[in-house]
Structures are given as structure tokens and as C-alpha cells.
Amino acid sequence: MQHLPVLPLLIPLLAGTLLLMPPLANTLPRQRWAGTLFALLQLAAAVALLLQVHQHGSLMYAMGEWRPPFGIVLVADRLSTMMCVLTAFLLLCVQLYSSANEDQKGKFLHPLLMFQALGIQGAFLTGDIFNLFVFFEVLLIASYALLIHGGGAQKTLANVHYVILNLAGSALFLFALGIMYGTFGTLNMADMQQRAAQIDANDVQLAKAGAMLLLVVFGLKSAMMPLHFWLPRAYAAAPAPVAALFAIMTKVGIYSLWRVHGTIFGDSAGELANIAQPWLWPLAWLTLVLGIIATLASKTLRELVANLVIVSIGSLLLMVALNTREATAGALYYLVHSTLATALMFLLAGLVVQQRGKAEDRFVQSRPVAQPALLGGLFFLGALALIGMPPISGFIGKALMLKAALTSHQILWIWPPILVGSLAALIMLSRAGGTLFWRTRGENTDPARAHPAQLVAVVLLMLSLPLMVVLAGTITEFTQLAAEEMRMEVKSGA
């Protein structure tokens, strides 16, 4: 059990390496079976780690037995393990969907998915800000290649913007790390929290500059306004399974804001306490409002879902700005829901593109899809989830966030945009469903139908949403404990 924290990193690292080597690299069928097996192992390891942490408390793993602040430290607590389980489940669904001929459109899809999972889960488990940067780079390098999987001018153009912005973000991250190390003398999160209130008066302004640079970096990763313009184009251009896995990437930025600005620069940081809060409120609000406007202007289903990702990010940022235990607990529930729901809709958009011919997923009158009843039914349930209507889990997530704002004087910042965001989603998803499944002409002469593996992936994601309702009591109790744990202590090497 003592090695459990490293398994979510070790499994995808070994999997990605083995999938690039003979005999697995020689044939796609072998890669598909092996990739699915590795994804199942990764999910099992993440679930086992979550249960261990929930029952016995946080776990610290020092790589090579080098103790902090000198060694690489992984720390598993309720929040990080919950995010690892979410990532592993999403990876399994994406792996299944990719096995249905999606991997024939380009090379190395399966190993790249594993390396992407490695970077994401490493970012969730690390206890050191420098290693957070390292895992950011791992997931970004994999995402650069995944985004242009299958080729095409649209993907290439989107990838150019995506790469340039993220390279700039990486440079800013390095500058921030240098400033943080110069003022704190360490990059271990636990040590930084302990020293935040004791920073020398001459270094306070420099530390504030480093903290604000980190806010810019994490804002870019999470698609916070005005750094969100890369997301709609990149997600809409990406292949369906890649876009579905990307649904978790923006949550890495939200997670980092919680970890760094919610703890290191939290209430006990002296002159550095809550330094990001004055900026988070207007930026979160504008992110949500601009996401709503972009949602109403969407012209394709993939673009619509990508803009709804921005709406969900704006809602989560409002909860980060509110910074209470109730707000964090509600946001965690909604984070899981929104990730699963948007991933589901990206996969459904891929099936619509596959069956609709040249019209793809554009909101124009065209021939019907080959499986209108099946895809239409799944779309209806997915739309209910994204809108936030009962009985799907989105209703509970938004209700928890709205409830958290009841006792806050910032209620007028929170309730109107979240409710208007749901209304915008209702309007556009109604339009999308009516256009894609009802306003049709002619007949579909193309026998292309969804592959069984694709349907398994979509159904797994679909079933997870009502399951979140059935287990809402257990999940909300867990998120409340995770929120309380995060507010009381930062990842430590103690």
C-alpha cells in the first residue's frame, strides 16, 4: 500500500513506453487491447488510492526516499485522488472510443493518450510547484500532438495558436518559479505555506509579483478571461476522443488555483493573504458572461460544447473566488459533473459528424443521421446534464453552488450569470437538437453507424451522470471532507 501514490504515474508511463515498442507498436489491434487493459489498471489503481486515502488519511510518497524540500514528493489526499479517479475513468472511455478506427487516422494515438494522462495525474499528485511545471509540460507536449491527430488545415491552425499561447505561459511559469524560489527559498507547497507569513518585508512586493504571475499562468491553463480565446478553436478542431480527454485539462488550472492561491496565499499568508481575490471576482464573472455570449453565437455542436466548457469554468472560478468550504465542496461536485457531461457531448458530436456527411455537426438542414433515435436520445440526456435540469447531476451541482452563495454579499455576482448560463445552454442545445435530429431532408444512404466500442464509451459516460445523482449523498459528503481538508492543510511532507 505504501507505493499506491506512484501507481497513477507509473502505469501510464510504462504503458506509453510499451505501446511505442514492438510487439505492441506493430499492430493496431494489439495497441487497442493493451491500451484498454492499461486504462483499466490505471482506473483500478486510482480507485484503490482514493479508498485508502478516504479511510486512512493523506499519503506522502518521497521518490527515491529523498525527503522534502530536496526530493520529489507526491501527496495523495481526497481532492487529488478524486481528480485521479476522474481522469482515469475519462481515459478508459476515450481509449474505448479511439479503438473504433479513430486510431487509423494518425500514428501514436494510444501512447499519446497515456502520456497525456501521466501529465494530468502528475499535476494532481505533486507536492512541489516546480514539479507542477514539469507535469504541465508533459501534458502539454502530448496535447500538441493529439490536437493535430489526423491532420488538416483547421487542426494545424488551431494547434499553432494553442502552442504559442502555452509556450508563453510556460515561460511565465518559469519566471514565477524563479521569483518564488528567490523569496521563499523553497518550492515545496507545505514549506511555502509555512513561510508565506514570514517573508521579509523587502521581498513582499517581489513575492506578490510572483503570485500574480502564477495567477496568469493558471488562468491561461483554465481558460480564464481574457486568456480563454484558444479554447473554442482548439477543442472544436480536435478529434472527438481528444476533445473529450481535453475536458479535464482546464480543470488542472482550476485545481492549481485551489492548491496555490487557496492555500499558500490563503488566509494565513500575512501580507500575501488572498492576493488573487480582488482579481478573481471580475475575471470569473467576465469569463462566465463571455462564455454565455459565445454559446449563443455557436455554429456547430463541437463549438457549442467548447463554449459551454468556458461557461462551466466561469462558474467554477466564481466558487474559487468565493473561497468558502461550502463553495469549494459544491464546486468539486460540479467539476466532476461538468467534465463528464462535456466529454459525453464531445463524443456524441463525433458520432454526429461521422453519420451526417459533409454537413458534419453544423447547425444547418441536412440529411438525417443513421441512428436518429439512439443519438437523439443520448443527446437529450446529455443536454439535460449540461443545462442543469433535474434529474441529472448538473442540477445538484448548480444548486450546491447557488446555495453556497446564499450567505455571501457577493450573491449578485453569482446567481444571475449562473442562471443565465443555464438559460443560454437551454436555448442553444434546443436549437442544436432540433436542427441535427428533426430539421432533416432527404435520406441517409450512408450505412455508417456507431461502432460498439464507441457506444460503450458514450453509454459509460451517460450512466455516470445519473449515478452521481444516486450517490449524491456519498459524493457531497466526500467533497465536503475534501474541501475542509484543503482549507485546513496544504500538501505537506510532514
Side-chain angles (χ1 to χ4, degrees), residues 12 15-17 19-20 31 107-116:
T17 304
L19 288 170
L20 289 172
Q31 284 202 348
K107 295 183 178 180
F108 311 122
L109 176 61
H110 297 288
L112 284 170
L113 291 175
M114 294 298 165
F115 290 130
Q116 176 87 349

Side-chain angles (χ1 to χ4, degrees), residues 31 51 54 59 87 93 151 160 183 198 232 237 242 264 266 281 321 323 338 343 365 451-452 464 473 492:
Q31 284 202 348
L51 294 175
H54 186 52
L59 296 174
T87 305
C93 296
V160 169
T183 53
Q198 304 168 4
V242 173
I264 297 173
W281 279 111
N323 197 29
S338 62
Q365 191 175 17
H451 190 280
S464 67
S492 70

Side-chain angles (χ1 to χ4, degrees), residues 140-405:
L140 285 173
I141 291 171
S143 70
Y144 297 154
L146 286 170
L147 183 56
I148 58 172
H149 174 74
Q154 185 180 8
K155 293 177 183 178
T156 302
L157 180 61
N159 199 42
V160 169
H161 293 136
Y162 177 71
V163 170
I164 291 174
L165 281 173
N166 279 285
L167 286 177
S170 297
L172 291 177
F173 203 164
L174 277 177
F175 294 153
L177 290 177
I179 294 172
M180 291 289 99
Y181 189 78
T183 53
F184 283 82
T186 180
L187 293 176
N188 180 274
M189 294 184 187
D191 289 340
M192 291 180 72
Q193 187 190 28
Q194 293 171 3
R195 300 182 188 186
Q198 304 168 4
I199 294 291
D200 187 275
N202 296 325
D203 293 332
V204 167
Q205 294 303 318
L206 196 58
K208 287 182 178 180
M212 296 310 296
L213 277 176
L214 288 177
L215 177 62
V216 173
V217 172
F218 300 148
L220 174 62
K221 306 304 181 186
S222 62
M224 179 174 66
M225 201 290 300
L227 305 169
H228 69 291
F229 293 104
W230 60 270
L231 189 147
R233 176 176 291 179
Y235 280 39
V242 173
L245 186 58
F246 279 12
I248 192 71
M249 281 210 310
T250 51
K251 310 310 187 294
V252 178
I254 298 292
Y255 174 90
S256 301
L257 283 171
W258 268 321
R259 285 299 189 198
V260 175
H261 284 280
T263 52
I264 297 173
F265 303 109
D267 296 334
S268 60
E271 292 187 55
L272 301 176
N274 300 315
I275 186 174
Q277 299 307 110
W279 295 91
L280 276 176
W281 279 111
L283 292 177
W285 192 85
L286 287 172
T287 301
L288 183 47
V289 171
L290 290 179
I292 292 170
I293 296 172
T295 295
L296 294 172
S298 301
K299 297 179 180 179
T300 69
L301 181 56
R302 288 171 294 182
E303 184 181 341
L304 171 58
V305 179
N307 286 320
L308 287 174
V309 170
I310 296 177
V311 171
S312 70
I313 290 300
S315 302
L316 290 170
L317 286 171
L318 284 175
M319 294 298 103
V320 177
L322 187 55
N323 197 29
T324 64
R325 185 176 71 88
E326 293 75 16
T328 303
L332 288 176
Y333 185 98
Y334 180 72
L335 182 151
V336 176
H337 154 80
S338 62
T339 302
L340 295 173
T342 51
L344 166 67
M345 292 301 283
F346 277 125
L347 295 187
L348 280 175
L351 294 179
V352 170
V353 170
Q354 177 179 310
Q355 297 187 13
R356 205 159 172 256
K358 293 182 180 180
E360 295 188 335
D361 61 337
R362 293 191 295 275
F363 299 148
V364 295
Q365 191 175 17
S366 181
R367 73 183 193 186
V369 296
Q371 298 169 291
L374 175 62
L375 297 190
L378 290 170
F379 177 87
F380 175 74
L381 295 174
L384 288 181
L386 286 176
I387 295 167
M389 295 181 65
I392 310 298
S393 52
F395 173 76
I396 297 177
K398 290 190 176 182
L400 289 172
M401 292 193 296
L402 294 175
K403 180 182 177 182

Side-chain angles (χ1 to χ4, degrees), residues 372-442:
L374 175 62
L375 297 190
L378 290 170
F379 177 87
F380 175 74
L381 295 174
L384 288 181
L386 286 176
I387 295 167
M389 295 181 65
I392 310 298
S393 52
F395 173 76
I396 297 177
K398 290 190 176 182
L400 289 172
M401 292 193 296
L402 294 175
K403 180 182 177 182
L406 280 175
T407 58
S408 171
H409 63 275
Q410 288 97 349
I411 186 172
L412 293 179
W413 281 84
I414 298 173
W415 274 57
I418 289 181
L419 294 176
V420 173
S422 295
L423 178 61
L426 172 62
I427 293 171
M428 289 306 299
L429 287 169
S430 299
R431 177 195 173 197
T435 302
L436 296 175
F437 300 104
W438 288 348
R439 290 180 56 202
T440 60
R441 63 184 179 187

Side-chain angles (χ1 to χ4, degrees), residues 28-47:
L28 279 178
R30 291 176 183 173
Q31 284 202 348
R32 291 168 180 171
W33 284 105
T36 303
L37 176 60
F38 285 129
L40 284 169
L41 288 174
Q42 191 166 339
L43 178 59
V47 171

